[in-house]
Amino acid sequence: QKRLVESGGGSVQAGGSLRLSCVASGITFSGYCMGWFRQAPGKEREGVAALEDKDRAVYADSVKGRFTISRDNAKNTVYLEINNLKPEDTGVYYCAAEILGPMWCSPRAGNFGNWGQGTQVTVSS
């Protein structure tokens, strides 16, 4: 049974940092493209970052320079480090997993079939 569990969200002030984690089970983790997505209230889900090959991370333009995705295949875990948080980063953050191949691994929600339950990030000004 495939399962993704996110953690690390919380309430922080603008300018702060968070590191989100997502632990996967029931999949051969190293063969999966792992993505992070977020959904703000009243808005559509937005792709943030994706990573399969550790040297080829893909980021949404809106988060480049502040967000870093990484993974530890030995721990079946993908991370999202968020620096210089802004109020517009508020939302539920989801991780997702799919077999896409390194060249196709990008944060497009429609390409992912396995999702976690999300973790809330709230940034106050």
Side-chain angles (χ1 to χ4, degrees):
Q1 180 178 349
K2 299 171 184 173
R3 190 174 183 217
L4 303 172
V5 179
E6 302 95 335
S7 62
S11 296
V12 297
Q13 289 193 329
S17 298
L18 282 174
R19 189 172 85 152
L20 308 182
S21 301
C22 171
V23 180
S25 58
I27 64 173
T28 304
F29 185 77
S30 61
Y32 275 72
C33 171
M34 299 301 296
W36 282 100
F37 300 80
R38 65 184 180 185
Q39 188 165 19
K43 294 189 177 181
E44 294 187 354
R45 192 168 295 188
E46 172 192 20
V48 171
L51 178 66
E52 181 168 343
D53 183 331
K54 63 179 178 66
D55 295 324
R56 191 179 175 277
V58 180
Y59 295 96
D61 289 342
S62 60
V63 305
K64 284 180 180 176
R66 295 192 300 120
F67 287 32
T68 303
I69 186 172
S70 61
R71 63 191 292 162
D72 185 339
N73 288 346
K75 295 182 178 179
N76 283 9
T77 302
V78 62
Y79 304 97
L80 184 70
E81 183 166 351
I82 311 173
N83 296 312
N84 190 21
L85 277 156
K86 303 177 180 181
E88 52 263 42
D89 294 322
T90 293
V92 179
Y93 283 70
Y94 301 89
C95 75
E98 194 54 76
I99 297 175
L100 296 175
M103 295 302 296
W104 296 99
C105 183
S106 68
R108 290 186 171 186
N111 290 346
F112 288 80
N114 304 288
W115 293 83
Q117 82 290 345
T119 186
Q120 176 71 44
V121 172
T122 303
V123 185
S124 57
S125 57

